[in-house]
Each structure stands twice: as C-alpha cells, then as structure tokens.
Amino acid sequence: MNIFNMTALQLGEKIKNKEISCIEVINYFFTNVTNKSNGYITLTQDYAINRAKYIQSKIDKSENLSILAGVPISIKDNICTKNIKTTCASKMLKDFIPSYSSTVFKRLENAGAILVGKNNMDEFAMGDTGKTSFYGSCKNPWDNTKSTGGSSSGCASTLSCKEAILTLGSDTGGSIRQPSSFCSITGIKPTYGLISRYGLVSFAPKFDQIGPMTKDALDCAKTLEIISGYDKYDNTTIKKSNFTFINKNFNVKGLKIGVCKNFIEYSNKDVQKEIINAINIFKNMGAIIEEINLDILDYSIPTYKILSNVQCTSNMARYDGIKYGYSPKDVGNLEKLCIQSRTDAFGVEVKTRIMFGNFILKNKNTHYNNAINAKNYITKQFKDAFNKHDILLTPTTPTTAISFNGDNDSDIFLVSSNICGIPAISIPCGFTKNNMPVGMQLIGNYLKDDVILNTAIQFQKCTNFHLKTHNII
Ligand code: GLN
C-alpha cells in the first residue's frame, strides 16, 4: 500500500479500520522519503515513531480519535514545535528549539496526527521562490529549472513529489496559494482570526495566517475543522469554536461567481486558456457566471509591500543576539553584539525588508498614510463585489511557475485578501502544453471559508486536475 497515493482522509480511514497500523505508516514514510525535493529542513523520526506507538495503543483500545489519527503531517518551519527545531530557514534560528508548541500543532497532536518533519521555506517567510532559505531552495517536481514558489516552498514540493500527506503553511501575502498553484496542490489562506497565530513566528502579524496545504479541498476542510477557532493565547482569534466546513448538501447550482475579467486579461495566454476552461466547468455545474473588474491591480502590491514591511521591521527587532538565536562570541559590547548578530545571520532579503520598513516609518506621513488609504479603497472594492457575488474567481498567478530570479508580479492576485483579511483558496485547474500546472483562486467574503471550500470540493468531484502527478525529480 503506497501511502503517498492517498489523501489524508483516505489514509486516516484505513488506519481507523485497522487495514494498516500507524506504526506501519510511519515506518513506510521513513523508509521511502529521501527528501528528494529538499522540502524538509528537519525529519522527526524518533518523535514520530514514539508517537505512532502511543496513538496506535489508543486506536487498539478503540478510543474516540479524529479521522487524522495516525496520519503523518509536516509543518512549515516557522510554526513552533516544542523540543523540535524551528529554524524559519534562517541562520539566525538554525539551532533554535522552542520551549512551547504553537496552538495549531497542539490541536493536531491532540487529534492524533503525527509530525514527521518541518518544511523548508523562504527565510522568515519572505520571498516568492523558496531561494532565500538558508538551507537552499526546493525543487519543483514539474520542472526542476523552475521554482516551487514561496514562501511555503517545502510544503508544496514535498506534497507534489509524493513525500508528504498533509502540511501546514503560512500566508502573509500569497505564500500558501502561490506555491500551491506552481506545484499543483490545494492550499487555503483562511479568514484572518480563524486560526490561532500563537507559536507562528511573526513576519507581518496583521496579515499572517496559517493554513493547510493538501492533496485536495476535502483534506483542507477537515484540517481547518481541527485547527480553527478561538484561542485564549491569541487575542486576534474569532471568539467562536467548533466550526464545520464540509457541507455534503452544498450545491454549486445557482452560486453567483464573479469572474475577475481584468485579472484574467493580465495573465498570460496559457493561464487564460485553462481558467476559461475551468469557468466553463462551473457553468456546466449550474453556477451563475458574471464578469467583474476589480480595480485593485495597480495598488495591491505597493500597499502590501509598505504595510507588510513596516510590520516586518518591528517584528525582526527581537533578534538581537541576546535573547535567543545566533550570537557571535567576543564582539566587545552590547551594541556590537546586536549589529554583528544581525549582519551575520540575516540573509539579504530579510535585511532589505528591515531597511525598507524603517525608511517607510521615518516618512510616516507620506507612503504609510497613502498605503492605509489604498487599503481602505481595496477593502471597499471587495465589499461592493460581495454585495453582488457569492465568491470571486481569478487565476492564482498570472503565469505558471516562475524562475529562481523571482518576479515582482507573481503575488499580484493574492496579497489583497491578506490586506482585507478575507479567505482565498488555490486549486489545480489545468496544465499548459508544456505540462505545467495552472491554479485557480476562489476568494470568499469574510468568514465564508466554508463557501469557497465547498465550491472547491464540488469542482474536484467533477474534475481530476488535482489527481494528476508528475515527478521528474
Ligand atoms: N511573496 C510574498 C513576500 O515575499 C509573500 C510572503 C508570504 O506570504 N509569507 O512578501
């Protein structure tokens, strides 16, 4: 039984029905995973084997566990795992072992899921190719000369090359959805506040959200049910628990889908073709398709850059060589220690953003205020759109997987949902003539995560784009 051909729910079902034990699953995992895409920074074999024995003993006693009991999971390396290295793919934290676990990890542990590794990423989640990682970039299984996207690069590469079953990423400005699209997997950035950020290493806390990256939308929805809801350790979480996201009676018939025409026109011809095909599939499923123009493309990225980098600047101030992280020896005095640790241990991208954020904060009345005005304008555009439409449909990215040189535009359709705090999912919707994956983004109104998830679930019931794998590594 090749566990990598199954979704998390399918594997969980087999473990529950005792067709395979979770000890066998974990042994299979570590026998077969060679980290061929460089998507893991740490593999947690000893932890996982112990945990599997414990979970199996509960299964044997027929204790009531979740459907993810015994299922191997991996987590982006900016999400804290107690006693397990959490590096943020930075030299600064390369030896950092957290003394506590993030709420999402605790919830998954309580549900019986088994951590098998920590995923590679752009340093401190800053990047769009994975190449800013201190541990080197990941390989895109669909084309090794192209990036996996970023910053959740390892989550996407390991799922795509069949070395992971279920992963958690983080999305500050597209970092779940862009690599999901480039590697043909499913990933959701939930509504801001739906998931606790306790234990997520901050980049831009007003935008950061953790979300599942999985093989299909059903796995995303089930994982969200486990990790979402109020957390007393994160005051920005929504004061509600026990969300359900899977609605078996959900029907796409009559659903009003606003198709963002100007986003499609902005995309290249290969992407356009597959998106138009996907729209036709929705039409055949009975959805009401209406074209709209969202006037945000000129403002999204500048607004995101200004607002995320001022937050980044103040968050990165905690790394001073004193409290934790990299600390050079014998530098003389405290000031020199602070300067030297940051000089040695941050990569170029992180340093650039800290400087950019400081520049903006020094000139607060100009760029920063403009960005706040633009944020309000973008929010209004979405508000108006959701008065008329249930969901919005766009390509996830204007092109397929970009090169390692990066591309300033690849997040252009994504950052606005972080700016507004609304949910958005990327699902596979086709392949170009060169066999490169194309992703489609479905954006929902605030707290309408269930609507985009069920729409995605129904789309995947009618299509098999998400099942196609291509492994040239
Ligand atoms: N590519 C974007 C950036 O570099 C998004 C990062 C993210 O979502 N973590 O800022």
Side-chain angles (χ1 to χ4, degrees), residues 409-430:
D409 269 358
S410 81
D411 297 332
I412 189 164
F413 304 152
L414 307 176
V415 291
S416 47
S417 24
N418 301 78
I419 292 170
C420 303
I422 54 179
I425 190 170
S426 175
I427 57 174
C429 77

Side-chain angles (χ1 to χ4, degrees), residues 177-192:
R177 291 159 287 158
Q178 186 246 34
S180 293
S181 170
F182 289 178
C183 294
S184 203
I185 61 161
T186 299
I188 181 168
K189 181 208 88 75
T191 293
Y192 185 79

Side-chain angles (χ1 to χ4, degrees), residues 76 78 121-122 124-129 150-152 170-178 203-204 207-209 304-305 308-309 349 353 407 410-411 414-415 418:
K76 187 173 176 180
N78 59 349
M121 54 184 278
D122 277 298
F124 283 103
M126 298 173 197
D128 55 6
T129 62
S151 62
S152 308
S170 73
D171 191 311
T172 305
S175 278
I176 285 178
R177 291 159 287 158
Q178 186 246 34
F203 158 15
F207 295 167
D208 301 335
Q209 262 310 265
Y304 168 75
K305 284 209 166 139
S308 69
N309 285 330
E349 183 67 28
R353 293 189 190 213
D407 169 349
S410 81
D411 297 332
L414 307 176
V415 291
N418 301 78

Side-chain angles (χ1 to χ4, degrees), residues 327-341:
S327 187
K329 302 264 171 298
D330 306 324
V331 281
N333 61 36
L334 267 183
E335 192 186 344
K336 282 188 187 150
L337 177 66
C338 179
I339 293 170
Q340 200 57 46
S341 60

